Structure formats: C-alpha cells, structure tokens
Amino acid sequence: MPDLRHYYTAYATSIRCLIPEHKVDLDKLIQLLIEDKRANPSNYALIVLSEGAQWEGYKLREYGEPDAYGHRKKANVAESLADEIKQRTGEETITSDLTYDLRSGDPDFIDKLVALTFGNMAYDAMLESKTGLMSALVEGRYDLVPIPDAKLGPRKLDVASSYNTERYRPIYANKQGLPIFLNRAS
C-alpha cells in the first residue's frame, strides 16, 4: 500500500492536499486557497502536502553529499510552495512539518492490534521456515505476502477513484466495497 498518511489526514479533516501522483496547477490552487481563506471566519486556509508533491514548473531541489546509495537530501516541498504562494500573492504563509507528529502519536487500539498481529504472523512464518514474506493487510484481511521488488518503485494512489483533481481534495463518494483503508493493493 502506498504511504497515505497525508492523504488520510486530508480525508479526515476535509482539507486540500497535494499528492505526488498528480501535478497541480499552481494558479488554480492559489485561487482555491484564497477562496478558502476568505470563507473562513478565522481568515486562514490549510493544505496538506505529501512528500513528492509538485506543481507545474516546480523543480525538486536536492542538497548535501550523496549517501551510500547515491541519494541526496531533498529540499522541503512545503517551504518551496509557501515561498511561491507568498511571492505570487503577498499573502502570509506558514509551514509546519507534521512528519514526526503523524508518525509518533500515541498508538490507539487499532495500531496496537495490527502491530501485535503482524509481529506474531512474522514469528509464525519464521517458525515455519517461510522466507521472503511480509505481514500485510490485503482487502482488509491479515495475510503473508511476498516482499515487493524494490525495483517496482512505490505504489501509487488511484487518482481516478480517490482524488478530486479539480478541487485538490480526497473523493468521499463510492466507497462501498473498499477495504478499511480505502485503497486496494496495487
């Protein structure tokens, strides 16, 4: 399953989000954000950005020395977007990196249940000398599945069924029959 924490945050809070699977029209996004700000009595608008989000004309900036795998650090996309919005509109922008907040909140019942079950499944697989497998949720059910080939790259969100490309928001309709995390394995 792709990393959907940012998408799920936007889904649960009904705010706009940028995902790596869809390149944004920045002028249209800015217009929507200004409309959101004006409609909000507190005079602000929010947007969630996934790592890898991009817009027309955006070039990912990297910095620093390459690591052992040849990867360099990537510049913060949220800061780049905030700078671009401020430059085009003169509006004040603030960024907040929620990465660690999203990853390090207190686990709830579901977090604990899934983690404990995954660990026990992995232990059972070791006792049975099964290798090359990982614990997973498939169609909402626990299963052992082959570890995906890293050469396949990251899985993608199904934009057509999950993301409104005109409003830069999750799609809420037509979820009947989907598994609990709203995304079929791809």
Side-chain angles (χ1 to χ4, degrees), residues 48 60 81-83 96 99 103 109 112-113 127 163 169 185:
V48 174
L60 176 66
L81 178 64
D83 291 346
S96 179
T99 304
R103 291 183 180 149
F109 169 77
K112 292 175 185 177
L113 177 72
L127 291 177
Y163 186 71
R169 292 185 186 275

Side-chain angles (χ1 to χ4, degrees), residues 26-77:
L26 191 54
D27 291 327
K28 182 167 71 172
L29 173 66
I30 290 171
Q31 178 185 346
L32 291 168
L33 291 173
I34 289 172
E35 289 172 12
D36 290 350
K37 182 179 177 185
R38 288 188 181 132
N40 183 333
S42 297
N43 199 35
Y44 69 86
L46 295 174
I47 186 165
V48 174
L49 280 79
S50 294
E51 183 178 333
Q54 53 187 307
W55 52 92
E56 300 294 335
Y58 172 70
K59 299 283 185 220
L60 176 66
R61 296 185 316 245
E62 297 180 325
Y63 63 94
E65 293 298 317
D67 64 16
Y69 301 100
H71 303 123
R72 296 173 58 209
K73 292 182 181 177
K74 293 174 177 47
N76 186 314
V77 68

Side-chain angles (χ1 to χ4, degrees), residues 7 10-11 13-19 22-40 45-49 81 159-160 162-173:
Y7 173 81
Y11 191 95
T13 58
S14 297
I15 61 176
R16 299 187 194 284
C17 64
L18 302 187
I19 58 173
H22 180 74
K23 192 176 279 194
V24 171
D25 176 332
L26 191 54
D27 291 327
K28 182 167 71 172
L29 173 66
I30 290 171
Q31 178 185 346
L32 291 168
L33 291 173
I34 289 172
E35 289 172 12
D36 290 350
K37 182 179 177 185
R38 288 188 181 132
N40 183 333
L46 295 174
I47 186 165
V48 174
L49 280 79
L81 178 64
V159 174
S162 301
Y163 186 71
N164 182 328
T165 59
E166 292 299 313
R167 304 293 297 160
Y168 306 124
R169 292 185 186 275
I171 292 175
Y172 295 93

Side-chain angles (χ1 to χ4, degrees), residues 171-185:
I171 292 175
Y172 295 93
N174 303 314
K175 300 302 180 208
Q176 187 171 345
L178 287 181
I180 188 169
F181 295 114
L182 304 173
N183 196 42
R184 297 190 193 284

Side-chain angles (χ1 to χ4, degrees), residues 90-135:
E91 295 284 338
E92 178 185 2
T93 58
I94 299 171
T95 63
S96 179
D97 187 346
L98 301 175
T99 304
Y100 296 105
D101 293 332
L102 289 171
R103 291 183 180 149
S104 64
D106 290 335
D108 63 13
F109 169 77
I110 297 293
D111 296 328
K112 292 175 185 177
L113 177 72
V114 172
L116 182 62
T117 304
F118 277 2
N120 282 311
M121 290 172 58
Y123 182 71
D124 289 344
M126 288 181 352
L127 291 177
E128 296 171 18
S129 299
K130 294 179 179 177
T131 61
L133 300 172
M134 66 179 209
S135 305

